[in-house]
Amino acid sequence: MSEPIATPPKSLNFRQRRILGVLMEKARTTPDAYPLSLNGLVTGCNQKSNRHPLMDLTPEQVEDELEKMRAAGMVAEVQGGSRVAKYRHYGYDYLGVKGAEAAVMTELLLRGEQTAGDLRTRASRFEPIADLATLQTLINSLMEKNLVVALTPPGRGQLLTHNLYLPEELARLKQLTSTAVGSSHEPVLSAGAGVQAHAHSPTAQEISQGLTVQRPSAQAPGPSHEDFQALRDEISELRQAVEKLTYRLDRLES
């Protein structure tokens, strides 16, 4: 009898992913200020460091999502020594992770797709990760739990992300990433905070409009790291647009 296939927790919209990631982060990095007030949580969601993409959520938007997350058992409202309501997470139980696995998931929730090298550096601020081999063991475990997926083929510069996207979001992200790094047979190389492909990568706008992008000749120079980062930003903006539309449809249906 075959073993059952692991299924991840229910998909989360982009606001819920950011909220859960912030609560998991602040519980480790600023325990004296945790649980977080609504204002503290909004600030954490909108901060400019350790976040991708950047957001500008309002207290009302965060409060609306907190209500849904409370109902799903992801967060809880607690009363401390003041009258201000504060919030704590149950993310470890919700995701079925702990220790270094929880650190990896926190970083993926806060920053989305990234290379193994970047992920190890960032997750190590929560939990020590000795080397890339250790990280790969963690990634393999999270993949078995269906919490992490690879966006590009194995090898140097491989892009990884969490599996908590809405289905249409993940499908679109995979399509855009595959188009960006798969238009050439050249290997993908690590490039600091991202990856660099040795071929012209069509923009998100070109892909969304169904335009045909011709592959350049073998002599054509590859894009710079800045070009690829710009493409990642376009992907992020497109993903946010899809998420916002989905959120509005959910609100209309409810």
Side-chain angles (χ1 to χ4, degrees):
M1 184 176 180
S2 60
E3 295 183 0
I5 299 175
T7 56
K10 185 179 179 181
S11 301
L12 308 177
N13 66 43
F14 74 107
R15 293 186 179 119
Q16 292 171 354
R17 296 196 300 265
R18 176 59 56 85
I19 290 169
L20 184 59
V22 168
L23 287 171
M24 291 169 64
E25 174 194 46
K26 299 305 183 184
R28 300 293 298 274
T29 59
T30 57
D32 292 343
Y34 180 83
L36 298 181
S37 66
L38 177 61
N39 287 339
L41 185 50
V42 171
T43 300
C45 288
N46 296 336
Q47 75 179 52
K48 306 304 181 184
S49 60
N50 298 315
R51 303 288 184 270
H52 184 80
L54 299 181
M55 295 184 183
D56 188 20
L57 303 184
T58 66
E60 292 76 18
Q61 289 171 329
V62 173
E63 197 166 27
D64 285 346
E65 298 302 337
L66 283 170
E67 288 300 316
K68 299 174 186 176
M69 296 172 76
R70 287 175 59 190
M74 283 180 275
V75 302
E77 181 179 329
V78 297
Q79 294 293 337
S82 66
R83 296 181 179 179
V84 177
K86 295 190 175 184
Y87 299 90
R88 61 164 298 171
H89 74 85
Y90 292 118
Y92 301 159
D93 294 332
Y94 185 76
L95 299 174
V97 295
K98 60 182 179 180
E101 285 188 351
V104 169
M105 290 303 299
T106 300
E107 276 303 323
L108 290 175
L109 286 168
L110 292 175
R111 298 188 66 104
E113 65 277 7
Q114 50 197 293
T115 66
D118 291 333
L119 186 55
R120 178 197 163 222
T121 299
R122 292 164 179 160
S124 291
R125 66 193 179 107
F126 304 113
E127 196 84 19
I129 300 177
D131 48 36
L132 286 176
T134 302
L135 175 68
Q136 190 59 54
T137 300
L138 295 170
I139 293 299
N140 291 342
S141 174
L142 291 169
M143 284 182 167
E144 289 176 1
K145 296 178 181 179
N146 214 5
L147 290 171
V148 166
V149 294
L151 296 174
T152 58
R156 190 177 181 187
Q158 182 183 35
L159 278 178
L160 303 161
T161 193
H162 61 77
N163 196 23
L164 298 176
Y165 293 104
L166 300 174
E168 61 272 19
E169 276 186 279
L170 184 58
R172 188 63 174 166
L173 181 59
K174 286 181 176 179
Q175 177 189 0
L176 291 170
T177 306
S178 175
T179 303
V181 301
S183 58
S184 170
H185 295 295
E186 297 291 333
V188 177
L189 301 179
S190 177
V195 295
Q196 182 176 355
H198 292 280
H200 168 71
S201 299
T203 65
Q205 182 179 4
E206 289 172 330
I207 296 170
S208 65
Q209 292 176 349
L211 300 179
T212 300
V213 181
Q214 295 182 347
R215 183 178 300 171
S217 64
Q219 290 75 27
S224 66
H225 171 60
E226 288 76 14
D227 291 335
F228 195 82
Q229 185 60 46
L231 178 61
R232 286 194 66 196
D233 291 340
E234 285 189 84
I235 293 173
S236 176
E237 290 173 5
L238 181 60
R239 189 172 65 200
Q240 287 188 69
V242 173
E243 291 170 337
K244 289 177 181 178
L245 287 173
T246 303
Y247 175 76
R248 289 173 182 172
L249 288 172
D250 289 342
R251 292 293 299 272
L252 288 173
E253 290 176 355
S254 61

